[in-house]
């Protein structure tokens, strides 16, 4: 895996912040869940492509609907991104569902259940 340069890290951070603002405030698609967050962004060094990892709090269907809404609004999002951020090239956006937050919540719930069972048995 290639180490990110300082420039690439700054571009990733700025694109992530801007995309979060666009998704939260500018898109009116009812398929996109209001509990959608941009977890990470990976912009290619040549600024041609961008992987956008989004997390949706809710069930699997809400995630699929949100992903479909984001893909259909891709042109609008890219246009807004180009107006807000001055880059040499505006990257093509590829939205991917990230399940890390849901996984973390699930693991935390399981740990709490085990601790509760241990307390009930007096093993703590």
């Amino acid at each position: 895996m290639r180490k990110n340069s300082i420039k690439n890290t700054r571009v990733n951070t700025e694109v992530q912040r801007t995309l979060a603002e666009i998704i939260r405030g500018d898109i009116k698609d009812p398929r996109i869940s209001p509990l959608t967050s941009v977890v990470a962004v990976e912009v290619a060094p040549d600024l041609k492509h961008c992987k956008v990892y989004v997390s949706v709090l809710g069930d699997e269907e809400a995630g699929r609907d949100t992903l479909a809404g984001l893909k259909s609004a891709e042109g609008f999002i890219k246009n807004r991104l180009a107006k807000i951020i001055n880059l040499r090239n505006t990257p093509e956006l590829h939205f991917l569902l990230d399940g890390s937050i849901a996984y973390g919540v699930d693991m935390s719930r399981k740990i709490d259940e085990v601790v509760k069972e241990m307390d009930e048995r007096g093993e703590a």
Side-chain angles (χ1 to χ4, degrees):
M1 183 172 217
R2 196 171 80 81
K3 183 180 174 187
N4 280 343
S5 67
I6 294 171
K7 175 190 168 220
N8 200 4
T9 303
R10 282 190 296 180
V11 169
N12 287 343
T13 304
E14 187 64 22
V15 169
Q16 179 180 356
R17 185 187 63 75
T18 304
L19 284 175
E21 289 175 6
I22 292 170
I23 291 170
R24 188 178 330 111
D26 295 343
I27 299 178
K28 305 295 186 227
D29 193 330
R31 293 177 291 182
I32 298 174
S33 171
L35 301 174
T36 301
S37 59
V38 179
V39 177
V41 169
E42 292 177 7
V43 180
D46 63 355
L47 304 176
K48 297 284 185 189
H49 298 279
C50 176
K51 291 181 185 177
V52 182
Y53 297 95
V54 295
S55 179
V56 180
L57 190 62
D59 59 351
E60 214 173 284
E61 184 180 344
R64 284 193 305 268
D65 289 346
T66 298
L67 211 54
L70 289 172
K71 285 183 180 180
S72 71
E74 192 174 313
F76 172 78
I77 295 170
K78 183 178 175 182
N79 187 6
R80 294 285 299 146
L81 185 66
K83 288 180 180 177
I84 295 171
I85 298 178
N86 185 18
L87 294 173
R88 179 176 53 234
N89 297 319
T90 303
E92 290 294 321
L93 303 173
H94 305 283
F95 292 99
L96 304 166
L97 201 55
D98 182 46
S100 62
I101 293 177
Y103 178 76
V105 169
D106 187 46
M107 291 306 290
S108 178
R109 183 182 52 78
K110 289 179 181 178
I111 290 170
D112 291 342
E113 288 174 4
V114 170
V115 169
K116 182 179 176 184
E117 286 178 19
M118 289 176 66
D119 285 344
E120 288 172 357
R121 289 188 210 153
E123 295 178 10

